[in-house]
Amino acid sequence: MSLRAKLYQFWMKKRPKNLSATKIIAAAFAVIILLGTLLLNLPAASRNGVSAGFLPALFTATSATCVTGLSLFDTWSQWSGFGQIVLLCLIQIGGLGFMSAATLIVFILRRRIGLKQRLVMAQALSVGDINGIVRLQRMVLRGSFFIEGIGAAILFFRFLPEYGWVQALKWGVFHSVSAFCNAGFDIFGALEPGSSVMRFQSDPVVLFTLMALIVVGGLGFLVWEEILEKRRFRNFGVYTRLVLVTTLALILSAWVLTCVLEWNNPATLGGMSVGDKLINGLFQSVTLRTAGFASIDQGALTDAGKGVSMFYMLIGGSSGSTAGGLKTVTFMVLVLFLTSRARGRSRVCVFQRTIPQGQVLDAMTIAFTMVSLAVLGGIFISATSPIAFTDALYEVVSALGTVGLTAGATGSLSVASQILIIVYMYFGRVGVLTISMGFLVGDKAEERFRYAETSLLIG
């Protein structure tokens, strides 16, 4: 018997027999991160031919797979062409979900997709029903590659006259995938290391292309499907309408607040023309949706500007999308709940529909968990690294929301802080997903007895 056959036989005997779909998703992301770490740890992955080291490789692989964008190095300066290809693959798999990559192979081989695979696909896409899941998965793959292709083509023709076709093609593909997957990694370090997209502050083609990719990627695959099928807003379901309204409201409000707070700040928007101020203020608003590209120096933001940015970073994009964070509808459910309670109402309603009380409690649980982790993480990093609390909190919120923006603190993180950020990035991408799906499809705990009620003083 060959070695391959023996290994397969051993796996079939020892493999876990009762892994849930959420555990499979969490384990698969961990395996992909580990594989990416091993590849990035190779000397060939570094530009100078020297291994980056296990922890930096793990940090970068986690950031790419969890589509965060935080990095200990400038991507172009540290990673070779091979390393950048590894990063691009990790971003694509992490953005669309590992199951999308696996399903693509199944489609190519024309194999049948079983019930277990359909269940995992549904949970990976944040869908509670397996009906039509294969069709949805096919639409996700085709739509994603189509949109990334359009973005890559626009960026290619923009960069072609100035940088040549090789550089233009490389930049077009890498940044289109990175923007659509809300990853925030860039290879513009060839122009100025660590500058992200600041070299293109006055370039509306680059900025608006990236913004469009970020927004589309952050809407969610279910929203795409409904928009394509029903086309008119009044025909959309409650969830799709809530996503679209909330997304627009968050972008516009963040745009206004960023411009108001940074308009006269010479280190951010202050030195620009009025048109550039408006465009870069809008770009800052969009990139806070977990994208991670920076057209202005995040470390130079006013304290109020950083506070606003952290608030929007924590919210993030929509469920079942390439974005992370608390999620737009989760945030809106909290707002609707607070509004209802302030009016003395016990039910939460939107678009003439009532939101189940259980989902309101789920939203509150996720929000409380993320805010608590952010505060505790900020305190830990500030205590273990030479970083002010505001910048430490900015770093932690960016990791939890899988945003990737930094106030310049990433390179100053201690080993313990780096490990914490790795854990937070993983939780921000995988933990929130599995917790949310656990709320959606998990069995409710059976209450076999109930204690007598008591009254407390609240407020």
Side-chain angles (χ1 to χ4, degrees), residues 283-346:
F283 188 88
Q284 175 72 5
S285 169
V286 171
T287 199
L288 294 175
R289 312 314 313 289
T290 81
F293 293 105
S295 68
I296 57 177
D297 184 2
Q298 302 299 299
L301 291 170
T302 62
D303 287 341
K306 289 179 181 177
V308 167
S309 296
M310 284 188 279
F311 174 77
Y312 285 95
M313 284 195 294
L314 203 58
I315 296 172
S318 300
S319 300
S321 71
T322 61
L326 179 65
K327 302 299 188 292
T328 52
V329 170
T330 304
F331 168 74
M332 186 52 65
V333 168
L334 294 175
V335 172
L336 292 170
F337 169 73
L338 293 175
T339 303
S340 296
R341 295 302 294 173
R343 293 179 176 179
R345 298 175 180 173
S346 58

Side-chain angles (χ1 to χ4, degrees), residues 99-122 125 130 132-139 141:
M99 201 60 201
S100 294
T103 307
L104 177 62
I105 297 174
V106 172
F107 286 157
I108 293 173
L109 296 178
R110 298 181 181 278
R111 297 292 181 87
R112 182 178 178 275
I113 299 176
L115 181 62
K116 182 71 172 181
Q117 290 73 29
R118 291 170 189 259
L119 179 61
V120 177
M121 287 165 58
L125 293 173
I130 64 173
I133 191 61
V134 175
R135 177 177 56 82
L136 175 61
Q137 183 68 81
R138 186 177 285 110
M139 184 273 293
L141 290 170

Side-chain angles (χ1 to χ4, degrees), residues 145-155 176 209 213:
F145 294 142
F146 177 73
I147 294 168
E148 289 174 348
I150 292 177
I154 295 173
L155 293 175
S176 179
T209 301
L213 290 167

